[in-house]
Amino acid sequence: MSDPEIVTPRRRNPARKKALSAVVAAVVVAGIAYGAYWALVLNHYETTDNAYVQGNVVQITPQIGGTVIAIDADDTDHVKAGQSLVRLDPADARIALDQAEAQLAQTVREVRTVYANNSTLNAQIALREADLARARSELARAQDDVARRAPLLASGAVGKEEFSHVTAQLAASKSAVAAAESAVLAAREQLASNETLTQGIQVDQNPNVLRAAARVREAYLALQRTDLLAPVDGYVAKRSVQLGQRVQAGAPLMSIVPLSKVWVEANFKESQLQNLRLGQPVTLDADLYGKRVEYHGRVEGLGAGTGSAFALLPAQNATGNWIKVVQRVPVRITLDPKELVDHPLRVGLSMNAKVDVSKTDGRMLATGSSSTSVAQTSVFDQSSRAADAQVSRIIAANGGGGRAPVALARRARVVAPVAAASPSAPAASVATITDSPVLTPPATTLK
């Protein structure tokens, strides 16, 4: 009988066991490390690559209609606020201004005549009162004559013919007094009627003068508006106007984009909004420059609704089959102006945003509006001041006692466009109708 088969256990590989243990340990350590990193770092940030540069796109539209005679700025040009962009033919506007100025001058002289009539009517009253006094004196003399002759009529010392004559004179004197009193009353009523047009106001505040002055301001501003000025600093884009084109009021001619005041609109998922607060710091980078250029900003505001809520065709989730789609809410992020100077951005560029949400003590929504204007320009104020000075000059020149200082009135006659003093104004127009007899700025043609 043979010996039974002896079964020996399989030899174990200690090296393999160590390797597997090392891998498992490495995975566990890596998981713990990632968990710690997520809890300490990643959990404090919200990121998105659905972010784009936004900015104000200021459309240049004429306030009046006209024919384009010059284009002073082209696409990609940088313009300053007040610089001339497009010039329209000012011939019609200049004629309208001349007519309005002539009408104002005539109105001032007519109103001065009304004021002068007060003195004339006062003199008429004095004359009528003198006539009344003379008539009353004649009446008193006639009454005395009748009183003296009446007792003598019975004795025959005075004839009936003579008594009838003095009696007739007495009646005539009474009629003359009544006529003189009526004349005085009519003169006083005429003075009162004339004073209703002049009482309590000066010539330059008379309603007729103010109406004519308003027409001058309207015509003056229309003439100034033939020169379209840049309301803000920025870069020209989307120029569509052409030389010789007949444009209507409100037609878009070009746009100006102030790249120094752009912001980022980051679209975060609704699940990322829980810890987003106003004022939280944001780190951004643009695909244009890559990771080597970093921008810094802050959360300025969160949108009042999702992007789909304000879409041109919003989703109708109450109809048909429904599939849940994660919504996104736009978040406005301001940028550091100094960084924009060093590395300028363009509207529409893609950005990557990373918001530090470690501090959640801020507000999710704004509680009030800004105390200052979101945007404003003072480019057009000069035209209004010059129009007022022009009106005052015309009133003063026609004896109406204009109240504007002489220096201000003189400045209105030599108003130059802001672009003439701008060092960044182009040396020549992009396109100009050279055979046009009118190429000077409208304000320089005022007389």
Side-chain angles (χ1 to χ4, degrees), residues 242-253:
Q242 298 296 330
L243 197 64
Q245 180 181 352
R246 177 72 182 181
V247 297
Q248 300 298 326
L253 306 183

Side-chain angles (χ1 to χ4, degrees), residues 317-371:
N317 294 329
T319 62
N321 296 327
W322 173 75
I323 299 176
K324 182 176 181 179
V325 178
V326 177
Q327 301 297 315
R328 290 181 179 268
V329 175
V331 176
R332 184 178 177 126
I333 301 172
T334 58
L335 299 174
D336 187 349
K338 296 181 180 179
E339 295 177 347
L340 290 176
V341 173
D342 297 333
H343 300 90
L345 296 172
R346 277 79 170 173
V347 174
L349 290 180
S350 300
M351 302 286 290
N352 299 304
K354 182 179 179 182
V355 182
D356 184 354
V357 296
S358 57
K359 295 183 179 179
T360 58
D361 53 348
R363 295 181 177 273
M364 294 188 67
L365 296 175
T367 57
S369 59
S370 175
S371 59

